[in-house]
Amino acid sequence: MFKASFLAFVLAAVVPGHSLPSITGPTKTPSTATGRLPALGWNSWNAYGCNINEAKVVAAANQFISLGLKSAGYQYVNIDDCWPLKARDSKTKRIVPDPSKFPDGISGVATQVHNLGLKIGIYSDAGTNTCAGYPGSLGNEAIDAATFNDWGIDYLKYDNCNVPSNWTDASSPPGGDWYNSNSAIRYRQMTAALDSVSRPIQFELCIWGQANVWQWGSRVGHSWRMGGDASATWSYITSVINTNSQHLSSVNFFSHNDMDMMEIGNGALTTQEQRTHFAAWAFMKSPILLGTDLSKLSSAQLAIIKNAELLAFHQDSNVGTPAKPFTAFSGMPSTSPPEYYSGTSSKGVHVFIINTSGSTATKTFTFSSVPGLGTSGNFKVHDMWAGTDLSGTHAASSTFSVSVAPHDTVAYFISKA
């Protein structure tokens, strides 16, 4: 331990680019002028990777309008990695947009996006370089925050690649508090820099679920990644749902566990798997950032991502908490991830059920077991996907059963009859 600390001190003293972390780090908190509700938007990475340019970003922004996504509540058009040149400006030390990709600069793109009534996001990294090898912001936080502010940026995705060894964490943080870990301090430095600029910039901590980020994330940013990069696979969807289901007490206004970008439109996910992908992100109140070429979305896919009732639950201005796992009936077996969730919105009580099995299955819950419903009276059930009430009423002591397709999710609003 002494040797490692001494080496870090020597590196900080004699090696350019190495700085010794402060004992506590800045304690500025994220803006309350943005980020109250989970973000709704689009991110370039899953669609284009490093093959990104101004035309594709502006096209996505215009598709927000033409496809009805803006009307549904989507607002952020976010540029991911690979947008700048590989070297900072030698005089100003600012990151320079690649003029071959962004001939109008990022500020020019921001103007076009803002003129559509939308918001724009950018990407950087809490290391020396981004994941694709472009300039990172570690040690240049103030310069980069000022640059993003000047360009009109509304959202910052802040990644976790190329971290110098003296900024990595020991197996346990100082005093057992991960807020004081080197990882948290790297992100806290950008929080402080963002606090010093005039624009409210929503701050996403893309820290891959490391350093117990759900314990301190809301003191540093508005959302934080709960795991590694998304893939268009059922195994990814169920894995991150399972991880997130264990930390839903961290979710509220200004405080969102991020399960990463949407993969709807990518890969070979079934319609049912895409419904579960969207519904779980909605009822857990993860940011929903579409990650595909929007022009290729089918009408069925657009219907999923524009579902008004699920989006209303996700964007509820009066209730910040997500749906959480509950025991649906006596003797219910446990599954990984949990299959039964309940939550409250401004309207009332909701139940969401995931069929994690690969075959059609009957799912059942007892009304009196649903938190918030009570143990007396009669109830009616409303299908949030279809937007219609189911026939009949149900006593509190009765059970409700539904046949759920493989990997599908049903979503209900339950009210007094």
Side-chain angles (χ1 to χ4, degrees):
M1 190 64 149
F2 172 79
K3 291 181 179 179
S5 300
F6 181 74
L7 176 60
F9 177 82
V10 171
L11 285 170
V14 302
V15 180
H18 284 79
S19 59
L20 189 64
S22 61
I23 295 173
T24 57
T27 57
K28 296 292 185 180
T29 54
S31 171
T32 56
T34 187
R36 184 173 188 265
L37 302 177
L40 276 176
W42 174 87
N43 176 288
S44 64
W45 185 257
N46 289 350
Y48 302 117
C50 274
N51 189 25
I52 187 62
N53 59 44
E54 178 174 329
K56 290 174 179 175
V57 175
V58 174
N62 280 290
Q63 284 154 359
F64 271 39
I65 311 298
S66 63
L67 298 176
L69 293 168
K70 180 187 177 186
S71 297
Y74 291 85
Q75 60 177 336
Y76 288 98
V77 181
N78 292 352
I79 303 166
D80 209 282
D81 206 348
C82 310
W83 57 267
L85 296 176
K86 287 290 182 75
R88 290 175 176 268
D89 183 284
S90 59
K91 295 181 179 178
T92 66
K93 303 304 179 185
R94 287 193 167 201
I95 303 177
V96 182
D98 185 334
S100 68
K101 295 178 178 179
F102 294 92
D104 293 316
I106 301 299
S107 62
V109 179
T111 297
Q112 295 178 72
V113 171
H114 288 152
N115 286 343
L116 294 171
L118 301 169
K119 297 180 178 180
I120 188 166
I122 202 70
Y123 167 99
S124 191
D125 191 284
T128 54
N129 289 289
T130 71
C131 298
Y134 294 83
S137 292
L138 184 65
N140 291 285
E141 293 89 354
I143 291 173
D144 293 350
T147 301
F148 301 152
N149 178 78
D150 292 349
W151 288 346
I153 294 299
D154 305 295
Y155 184 110
L156 173 62
K157 175 182 175 181
Y158 205 44
D159 219 335
N160 195 37
C161 284
N162 296 301
V163 178
S165 58
N166 58 305
W167 276 104
T168 57
D169 289 320
S171 56
S172 60
D177 185 355
W178 283 99
Y179 177 74
N180 292 319
S181 65
N182 286 345
S183 289
I185 292 171
R186 283 186 292 116
Y187 283 85
R188 286 162 56 185
Q189 291 181 165
M190 182 54 82
T191 308
L194 295 174
D195 181 74
S196 70
V197 302
S198 59
R199 291 185 69 83
I201 297 177
Q202 189 162 165
F203 190 23
E204 173 197 335
L205 319 178
C206 185
I207 195 173
W208 318 331
Q210 294 180 358
N212 288 20
V213 63
W214 51 85
Q215 295 177 353
W216 52 268
S218 64
R219 299 168 67 183
V220 179
H222 301 100
S223 64
W224 40 90
R225 279 273 296 278
M226 295 298 289
D229 288 355
S231 63
T233 60
W234 178 244
S235 61
Y236 174 82
I237 292 169
T238 53
S239 174
V240 75
I241 290 172
N242 188 56
T243 297
N244 200 30
S245 69
Q246 302 168 50
H247 302 291
L248 292 171
S249 61
S250 301
V251 179
N252 211 320
F253 294 129
F254 300 107
S255 179
H256 299 105
N257 296 345
D258 183 355
M259 298 196 287
D260 202 15
M261 298 167 288
M262 284 274 114
E263 292 282 6
I264 291 172
N266 304 329
L269 295 171
T270 67
T271 297
Q272 292 72 28
E273 288 166 348
Q274 292 175 78
R275 279 163 48 108
T276 294
H277 187 4
F278 183 77
W281 269 238
F283 71 67
M284 289 181 163
K285 302 200 174 182
S286 168
I288 295 176
L289 296 171
L290 307 174
T292 195
D293 179 346
L294 298 176
S295 69
K296 296 180 180 178
L297 287 170
S298 68
S299 57
Q301 290 166 333
L302 284 167
I304 291 171
I305 63 176
K306 293 196 295 181
N307 181 277
E309 296 191 29
L310 285 163
L311 287 171
F313 185 92
H314 183 257
Q315 294 288 298
D316 197 305
S317 60
N318 297 310
V319 181
T321 50
K324 298 177 181 178
F326 76 104
T327 302
F329 54 89
S330 178
M332 185 186 83
S334 62
T335 58
S336 179
E339 293 187 318
Y340 293 84
Y341 299 80
S342 69
T344 304
S345 74
S346 296
K347 291 174 62 177
V349 175
H350 300 255
V351 168
F352 307 92
I353 309 171
I354 303 171
N355 177 12
T356 60
S357 73
S359 57
T360 299
T362 299
K363 300 300 177 184
T364 301
F365 64 88
T366 304
F367 286 89
S368 59
S369 296
V370 178
L373 281 188
T375 57
S376 63
N378 294 307
F379 301 96
K380 59 182 180 180
V381 179
H382 175 88
D383 184 336
M384 296 172 67
W385 282 117
T388 57
D389 291 343
L390 304 185
S391 61
T393 60
H394 308 267
S397 60
S398 67
T399 59
F400 179 90
S401 295
V402 58
S403 178
V404 186
H407 299 174
D408 201 1
T409 292
V410 294
Y412 298 122
F413 167 59
I414 303 173
S415 59
K416 289 281 189 181

